[in-house]
Short mmCIF file of all heavy atoms in Angstrom, two decimals:
data_model
loop_
_atom_site.label_atom_id
_atom_site.label_comp_id
_atom_site.label_asym_id
_atom_site.label_seq_id
_atom_site.Cartn_x
_atom_site.Cartn_y
_atom_site.Cartn_z
N HIS H 528 -28.66 -3.00 -9.40
CA HIS H 528 -28.12 -1.86 -10.14
C HIS H 528 -27.99 -2.20 -11.62
O HIS H 528 -28.32 -1.37 -12.49
CB HIS H 528 -26.75 -1.47 -9.57
CG HIS H 528 -26.01 -0.48 -10.41
ND1 HIS H 528 -26.32 0.87 -10.45
CD2 HIS H 528 -24.94 -0.65 -11.25
CE1 HIS H 528 -25.49 1.50 -11.27
NE2 HIS H 528 -24.65 0.60 -11.78
N SER H 529 -27.54 -3.40 -11.93
CA SER H 529 -27.37 -3.81 -13.32
C SER H 529 -28.71 -3.85 -14.06
O SER H 529 -28.81 -3.41 -15.21
CB SER H 529 -26.70 -5.19 -13.38
OG SER H 529 -25.42 -5.16 -12.78
N VAL H 530 -29.73 -4.35 -13.39
CA VAL H 530 -31.07 -4.38 -13.99
C VAL H 530 -31.60 -2.97 -14.18
O VAL H 530 -32.21 -2.65 -15.21
CB VAL H 530 -32.03 -5.24 -13.15
CG1 VAL H 530 -33.46 -5.10 -13.65
CG2 VAL H 530 -31.60 -6.70 -13.19
N LEU H 531 -31.37 -2.11 -13.20
CA LEU H 531 -31.80 -0.72 -13.32
C LEU H 531 -31.14 -0.06 -14.54
O LEU H 531 -31.82 0.59 -15.34
CB LEU H 531 -31.44 0.05 -12.05
CG LEU H 531 -31.72 1.56 -12.05
CD1 LEU H 531 -33.20 1.85 -12.33
CD2 LEU H 531 -31.29 2.18 -10.71
N CYS H 532 -29.85 -0.25 -14.71
CA CYS H 532 -29.14 0.32 -15.86
C CYS H 532 -29.68 -0.25 -17.16
O CYS H 532 -29.87 0.48 -18.15
CB CYS H 532 -27.64 0.04 -15.75
SG CYS H 532 -26.80 1.00 -14.48
N LYS H 533 -29.95 -1.54 -17.18
CA LYS H 533 -30.50 -2.18 -18.38
C LYS H 533 -31.86 -1.59 -18.74
O LYS H 533 -32.16 -1.33 -19.91
CB LYS H 533 -30.58 -3.69 -18.15
CG LYS H 533 -31.18 -4.47 -19.31
CD LYS H 533 -32.65 -4.77 -19.08
CE LYS H 533 -33.30 -5.44 -20.27
NZ LYS H 533 -34.76 -5.63 -20.08
N ARG H 534 -32.70 -1.38 -17.74
CA ARG H 534 -34.04 -0.83 -18.00
C ARG H 534 -33.96 0.63 -18.44
O ARG H 534 -34.75 1.07 -19.28
CB ARG H 534 -34.92 -1.00 -16.77
CG ARG H 534 -35.23 -2.47 -16.48
CD ARG H 534 -36.12 -2.66 -15.26
NE ARG H 534 -36.34 -4.08 -15.01
CZ ARG H 534 -37.05 -4.56 -14.00
NH1 ARG H 534 -37.64 -3.73 -13.14
NH2 ARG H 534 -37.20 -5.87 -13.84
N VAL H 535 -33.04 1.38 -17.89
CA VAL H 535 -32.84 2.76 -18.33
C VAL H 535 -32.38 2.78 -19.78
O VAL H 535 -32.86 3.58 -20.59
CB VAL H 535 -31.83 3.49 -17.41
CG1 VAL H 535 -31.44 4.84 -18.01
CG2 VAL H 535 -32.41 3.69 -16.02
N ALA H 536 -31.45 1.89 -20.13
CA ALA H 536 -30.96 1.82 -21.50
C ALA H 536 -32.08 1.45 -22.47
O ALA H 536 -32.18 1.99 -23.58
CB ALA H 536 -29.82 0.80 -21.60
N THR H 537 -32.94 0.53 -22.04
CA THR H 537 -34.07 0.11 -22.88
C THR H 537 -35.02 1.27 -23.13
O THR H 537 -35.58 1.42 -24.22
CB THR H 537 -34.82 -1.06 -22.22
OG1 THR H 537 -33.89 -2.15 -22.02
CG2 THR H 537 -35.97 -1.54 -23.08
N TYR H 538 -35.20 2.11 -22.11
CA TYR H 538 -36.08 3.28 -22.23
C TYR H 538 -35.47 4.34 -23.15
O TYR H 538 -36.17 4.91 -24.00
CB TYR H 538 -36.32 3.86 -20.84
CG TYR H 538 -36.98 5.22 -20.83
CD1 TYR H 538 -38.34 5.36 -21.07
CD2 TYR H 538 -36.24 6.37 -20.55
CE1 TYR H 538 -38.96 6.61 -21.04
CE2 TYR H 538 -36.83 7.62 -20.52
CZ TYR H 538 -38.18 7.74 -20.77
OH TYR H 538 -38.78 8.98 -20.75
N LEU H 539 -34.17 4.57 -23.00
CA LEU H 539 -33.52 5.64 -23.75
C LEU H 539 -33.19 5.24 -25.18
O LEU H 539 -33.28 6.07 -26.11
CB LEU H 539 -32.25 6.09 -23.03
CG LEU H 539 -32.43 6.78 -21.68
CD1 LEU H 539 -31.08 7.05 -21.04
CD2 LEU H 539 -33.21 8.08 -21.86
N TRP H 540 -32.77 3.98 -25.37
CA TRP H 540 -32.36 3.53 -26.69
C TRP H 540 -33.03 2.20 -27.03
O TRP H 540 -32.38 1.17 -27.16
CB TRP H 540 -30.84 3.40 -26.76
CG TRP H 540 -30.17 4.73 -26.64
CD1 TRP H 540 -30.08 5.69 -27.60
CD2 TRP H 540 -29.51 5.26 -25.47
NE1 TRP H 540 -29.41 6.79 -27.11
CE2 TRP H 540 -29.05 6.56 -25.81
CE3 TRP H 540 -29.25 4.77 -24.19
CZ2 TRP H 540 -28.37 7.36 -24.91
CZ3 TRP H 540 -28.57 5.57 -23.29
CH2 TRP H 540 -28.14 6.85 -23.65
N PRO H 541 -34.35 2.20 -27.16
CA PRO H 541 -35.07 0.96 -27.43
C PRO H 541 -34.61 0.31 -28.72
O PRO H 541 -34.42 0.98 -29.73
CB PRO H 541 -36.54 1.42 -27.52
CG PRO H 541 -36.47 2.88 -27.84
CD PRO H 541 -35.24 3.38 -27.16
N GLY H 542 -34.40 -0.99 -28.67
CA GLY H 542 -33.97 -1.72 -29.85
C GLY H 542 -32.48 -1.73 -30.08
O GLY H 542 -31.99 -2.48 -30.94
N ASN H 543 -31.73 -0.92 -29.34
CA ASN H 543 -30.27 -0.91 -29.50
C ASN H 543 -29.69 -2.00 -28.60
O ASN H 543 -29.35 -1.76 -27.44
CB ASN H 543 -29.70 0.46 -29.12
CG ASN H 543 -28.24 0.61 -29.53
OD1 ASN H 543 -27.48 -0.33 -29.46
ND2 ASN H 543 -27.88 1.82 -29.94
N THR H 544 -29.61 -3.20 -29.14
CA THR H 544 -29.24 -4.36 -28.31
C THR H 544 -27.84 -4.25 -27.74
O THR H 544 -27.59 -4.75 -26.64
CB THR H 544 -29.36 -5.66 -29.12
OG1 THR H 544 -28.50 -5.60 -30.27
CG2 THR H 544 -30.79 -5.90 -29.58
N GLN H 545 -26.92 -3.60 -28.45
CA GLN H 545 -25.55 -3.50 -27.96
C GLN H 545 -25.47 -2.59 -26.73
O GLN H 545 -24.79 -2.92 -25.75
CB GLN H 545 -24.62 -2.99 -29.06
CG GLN H 545 -24.41 -3.97 -30.19
CD GLN H 545 -23.75 -5.27 -29.72
OE1 GLN H 545 -22.86 -5.26 -28.89
NE2 GLN H 545 -24.22 -6.39 -30.27
N VAL H 546 -26.16 -1.45 -26.77
CA VAL H 546 -26.17 -0.55 -25.62
C VAL H 546 -26.86 -1.24 -24.43
O VAL H 546 -26.36 -1.21 -23.30
CB VAL H 546 -26.87 0.77 -25.95
CG1 VAL H 546 -27.08 1.61 -24.69
CG2 VAL H 546 -26.05 1.55 -26.97
N ILE H 547 -28.00 -1.87 -24.69
CA ILE H 547 -28.76 -2.51 -23.62
C ILE H 547 -27.96 -3.63 -22.98
O ILE H 547 -27.90 -3.75 -21.75
CB ILE H 547 -30.11 -3.02 -24.17
CG1 ILE H 547 -30.99 -1.84 -24.60
CG2 ILE H 547 -30.83 -3.86 -23.12
CD1 ILE H 547 -32.21 -2.23 -25.41
N ALA H 548 -27.31 -4.46 -23.80
CA ALA H 548 -26.51 -5.57 -23.26
C ALA H 548 -25.32 -5.06 -22.46
O ALA H 548 -25.00 -5.59 -21.40
CB ALA H 548 -26.04 -6.48 -24.39
N ARG H 549 -24.66 -4.03 -22.98
CA ARG H 549 -23.51 -3.48 -22.26
C ARG H 549 -23.93 -2.85 -20.94
O ARG H 549 -23.22 -2.96 -19.94
CB ARG H 549 -22.80 -2.44 -23.14
CG ARG H 549 -21.95 -3.04 -24.23
CD ARG H 549 -20.61 -3.47 -23.70
NE ARG H 549 -19.80 -4.14 -24.70
CZ ARG H 549 -18.55 -4.54 -24.49
NH1 ARG H 549 -17.97 -4.32 -23.32
NH2 ARG H 549 -17.89 -5.16 -25.43
N ALA H 550 -25.07 -2.18 -20.95
CA ALA H 550 -25.58 -1.61 -19.70
C ALA H 550 -25.91 -2.72 -18.71
O ALA H 550 -25.64 -2.60 -17.50
CB ALA H 550 -26.81 -0.76 -19.97
N ALA H 551 -26.46 -3.82 -19.21
CA ALA H 551 -26.80 -4.95 -18.35
C ALA H 551 -25.57 -5.59 -17.75
O ALA H 551 -25.58 -6.03 -16.59
CB ALA H 551 -27.59 -5.99 -19.15
N ALA H 552 -24.47 -5.63 -18.51
CA ALA H 552 -23.29 -6.41 -18.11
C ALA H 552 -22.14 -5.56 -17.57
O ALA H 552 -21.12 -6.12 -17.14
CB ALA H 552 -22.79 -7.22 -19.30
N HIS H 553 -22.29 -4.24 -17.53
CA HIS H 553 -21.13 -3.39 -17.29
C HIS H 553 -20.48 -3.57 -15.93
O HIS H 553 -19.30 -3.25 -15.75
CB HIS H 553 -21.49 -1.91 -17.50
CG HIS H 553 -22.23 -1.29 -16.36
ND1 HIS H 553 -23.56 -1.55 -16.08
CD2 HIS H 553 -21.82 -0.42 -15.40
CE1 HIS H 553 -23.92 -0.86 -15.02
NE2 HIS H 553 -22.90 -0.16 -14.58
N ASP H 554 -21.20 -4.10 -14.95
CA ASP H 554 -20.61 -4.28 -13.62
C ASP H 554 -20.49 -5.75 -13.20
O ASP H 554 -20.18 -6.03 -12.03
CB ASP H 554 -21.45 -3.55 -12.56
CG ASP H 554 -21.06 -2.08 -12.43
OD1 ASP H 554 -19.99 -1.70 -12.94
OD2 ASP H 554 -21.83 -1.32 -11.82
N LEU H 555 -20.69 -6.68 -14.12
CA LEU H 555 -20.62 -8.09 -13.74
C LEU H 555 -19.22 -8.52 -13.31
O LEU H 555 -19.06 -9.47 -12.55
CB LEU H 555 -21.12 -8.98 -14.88
CG LEU H 555 -22.60 -8.81 -15.27
CD1 LEU H 555 -22.98 -9.86 -16.30
CD2 LEU H 555 -23.51 -8.91 -14.05
N HIS H 556 -18.20 -7.80 -13.77
CA HIS H 556 -16.84 -8.11 -13.34
C HIS H 556 -16.65 -7.89 -11.84
O HIS H 556 -15.68 -8.41 -11.25
CB HIS H 556 -15.83 -7.24 -14.10
CG HIS H 556 -15.97 -5.78 -13.78
ND1 HIS H 556 -16.93 -4.98 -14.37
CD2 HIS H 556 -15.30 -4.98 -12.92
CE1 HIS H 556 -16.84 -3.75 -13.89
NE2 HIS H 556 -15.86 -3.73 -13.00
N GLU H 557 -17.59 -7.18 -11.22
CA GLU H 557 -17.47 -6.95 -9.77
C GLU H 557 -17.69 -8.24 -8.98
O GLU H 557 -17.44 -8.27 -7.77
CB GLU H 557 -18.42 -5.85 -9.34
CG GLU H 557 -18.00 -4.49 -9.91
CD GLU H 557 -18.90 -3.34 -9.51
OE1 GLU H 557 -19.92 -3.59 -8.83
OE2 GLU H 557 -18.58 -2.19 -9.88
N ALA H 558 -18.11 -9.30 -9.66
CA ALA H 558 -18.13 -10.62 -9.03
C ALA H 558 -16.72 -11.01 -8.58
O ALA H 558 -16.55 -11.78 -7.62
CB ALA H 558 -18.66 -11.67 -10.01
N TYR H 559 -15.71 -10.45 -9.24
CA TYR H 559 -14.32 -10.76 -8.91
C TYR H 559 -13.64 -9.63 -8.15
O TYR H 559 -12.82 -9.88 -7.26
CB TYR H 559 -13.54 -11.05 -10.21
CG TYR H 559 -14.17 -12.16 -11.01
CD1 TYR H 559 -14.80 -11.91 -12.22
CD2 TYR H 559 -14.18 -13.47 -10.53
CE1 TYR H 559 -15.41 -12.93 -12.93
CE2 TYR H 559 -14.78 -14.50 -11.24
CZ TYR H 559 -15.40 -14.21 -12.43
OH TYR H 559 -16.02 -15.22 -13.13
N THR H 560 -13.97 -8.40 -8.47
CA THR H 560 -13.28 -7.26 -7.84
C THR H 560 -14.01 -6.71 -6.63
O THR H 560 -13.42 -5.97 -5.84
CB THR H 560 -13.11 -6.11 -8.84
OG1 THR H 560 -14.41 -5.60 -9.19
CG2 THR H 560 -12.41 -6.59 -10.11
N GLY H 561 -15.30 -7.04 -6.49
CA GLY H 561 -16.13 -6.37 -5.51
C GLY H 561 -16.57 -5.01 -6.03
O GLY H 561 -16.07 -4.54 -7.06
N ASP H 562 -17.52 -4.41 -5.35
CA ASP H 562 -17.98 -3.07 -5.72
C ASP H 562 -17.23 -2.06 -4.85
O ASP H 562 -17.55 -1.88 -3.67
CB ASP H 562 -19.50 -2.94 -5.52
CG ASP H 562 -19.99 -1.54 -5.88
OD1 ASP H 562 -20.00 -1.23 -7.08
OD2 ASP H 562 -20.34 -0.77 -4.97
N ILE H 563 -16.23 -1.44 -5.44
CA ILE H 563 -15.40 -0.48 -4.70
C ILE H 563 -15.86 0.93 -5.05
O ILE H 563 -15.87 1.30 -6.23
CB ILE H 563 -13.90 -0.63 -5.07
CG1 ILE H 563 -13.46 -2.09 -4.95
CG2 ILE H 563 -13.05 0.29 -4.21
CD1 ILE H 563 -13.57 -2.65 -3.55
N PRO H 564 -16.27 1.74 -4.07
CA PRO H 564 -16.68 3.11 -4.37
C PRO H 564 -15.57 3.90 -5.06
O PRO H 564 -14.38 3.70 -4.78
CB PRO H 564 -17.00 3.70 -2.99
CG PRO H 564 -17.32 2.51 -2.14
CD PRO H 564 -16.41 1.42 -2.64
N GLY H 565 -15.99 4.78 -5.96
CA GLY H 565 -15.03 5.56 -6.73
C GLY H 565 -13.95 6.25 -5.91
O GLY H 565 -12.77 6.18 -6.25
N PRO H 566 -14.32 6.92 -4.80
CA PRO H 566 -13.28 7.60 -4.01
C PRO H 566 -12.20 6.64 -3.51
O PRO H 566 -11.03 7.02 -3.42
CB PRO H 566 -14.08 8.20 -2.85
CG PRO H 566 -15.44 8.40 -3.40
CD PRO H 566 -15.68 7.22 -4.31
N ALA H 567 -12.60 5.40 -3.19
CA ALA H 567 -11.61 4.43 -2.72
C ALA H 567 -10.66 4.01 -3.84
O ALA H 567 -9.45 3.83 -3.62
CB ALA H 567 -12.31 3.20 -2.14
N LYS H 568 -11.21 3.88 -5.05
CA LYS H 568 -10.37 3.47 -6.19
C LYS H 568 -9.23 4.45 -6.42
O LYS H 568 -8.16 4.06 -6.88
CB LYS H 568 -11.22 3.37 -7.45
CG LYS H 568 -12.24 2.25 -7.44
CD LYS H 568 -13.07 2.26 -8.72
CE LYS H 568 -14.18 1.23 -8.67
NZ LYS H 568 -15.00 1.23 -9.91
N ASN H 569 -9.49 5.72 -6.11
CA ASN H 569 -8.46 6.74 -6.32
C ASN H 569 -7.25 6.53 -5.43
O ASN H 569 -6.20 7.13 -5.67
CB ASN H 569 -9.05 8.13 -6.06
CG ASN H 569 -10.14 8.48 -7.04
OD1 ASN H 569 -10.16 8.01 -8.17
ND2 ASN H 569 -11.08 9.33 -6.62
N HIS H 570 -7.38 5.69 -4.41
CA HIS H 570 -6.27 5.45 -3.48
C HIS H 570 -5.71 4.03 -3.59
O HIS H 570 -4.92 3.61 -2.75
CB HIS H 570 -6.75 5.69 -2.04
CG HIS H 570 -7.21 7.09 -1.78
ND1 HIS H 570 -6.34 8.13 -1.48
CD2 HIS H 570 -8.45 7.64 -1.81
CE1 HIS H 570 -7.02 9.24 -1.32
NE2 HIS H 570 -8.30 8.98 -1.51
N LEU H 571 -6.13 3.31 -4.62
CA LEU H 571 -5.75 1.90 -4.72
C LEU H 571 -4.78 1.61 -5.86
O LEU H 571 -4.73 0.49 -6.36
CB LEU H 571 -7.01 1.03 -4.87
CG LEU H 571 -7.93 1.02 -3.65
CD1 LEU H 571 -9.16 0.17 -3.90
CD2 LEU H 571 -7.20 0.50 -2.41
N GLY H 572 -4.04 2.59 -6.29
CA GLY H 572 -2.96 2.38 -7.24
C GLY H 572 -3.39 1.69 -8.51
O GLY H 572 -4.16 2.24 -9.31
N ALA H 573 -2.92 0.45 -8.70
CA ALA H 573 -3.14 -0.27 -9.95
C ALA H 573 -4.52 -0.90 -10.06
O ALA H 573 -4.80 -1.60 -11.03
CB ALA H 573 -2.07 -1.35 -10.11
N PHE H 574 -5.38 -0.65 -9.08
CA PHE H 574 -6.69 -1.33 -9.08
C PHE H 574 -7.49 -1.05 -10.35
O PHE H 574 -8.10 -1.96 -10.92
CB PHE H 574 -7.52 -0.90 -7.87
CG PHE H 574 -8.90 -1.51 -7.85
CD1 PHE H 574 -9.09 -2.79 -7.36
CD2 PHE H 574 -9.98 -0.82 -8.36
CE1 PHE H 574 -10.37 -3.37 -7.37
CE2 PHE H 574 -11.26 -1.38 -8.37
CZ PHE H 574 -11.44 -2.67 -7.87
N ARG H 575 -7.51 0.20 -10.81
CA ARG H 575 -8.34 0.53 -11.96
C ARG H 575 -7.94 -0.27 -13.20
O ARG H 575 -8.80 -0.70 -13.98
CB ARG H 575 -8.29 2.03 -12.24
CG ARG H 575 -9.07 2.87 -11.23
CD ARG H 575 -9.16 4.32 -11.66
NE ARG H 575 -9.83 5.14 -10.67
CZ ARG H 575 -11.15 5.29 -10.59
NH1 ARG H 575 -11.93 4.65 -11.42
NH2 ARG H 575 -11.68 6.08 -9.65
#
């Protein structure tokens, strides 16, 4: 998913390294939190 987002960012905003890097890294924190579906987050209190 992270690579897909990075490639989409590269297509939409070529040369914008900040957007591309942020798209590449935006979910890396899930190494610690796991990938929790949005509907579940709504029921997890302080999780967000």
Side-chain angles (χ1 to χ4, degrees):
H528 170 76
S529 299
V530 171
L531 175 57
C532 288
K533 178 262 175 185
R534 292 181 182 179
V535 170
T537 301
Y538 169 76
L539 293 175
W540 294 284
N543 192 323
T544 59
Q545 291 299 320
V546 171
I547 294 168
R549 283 279 176 176
H553 79 285
D554 275 346
L555 296 186
H556 65 279
E557 292 180 357
Y559 304 110
T560 66
D562 180 71
I563 309 298
K568 292 179 186 180
N569 296 332
H570 298 277
L571 294 178
F574 177 83
R575 287 188 183 275

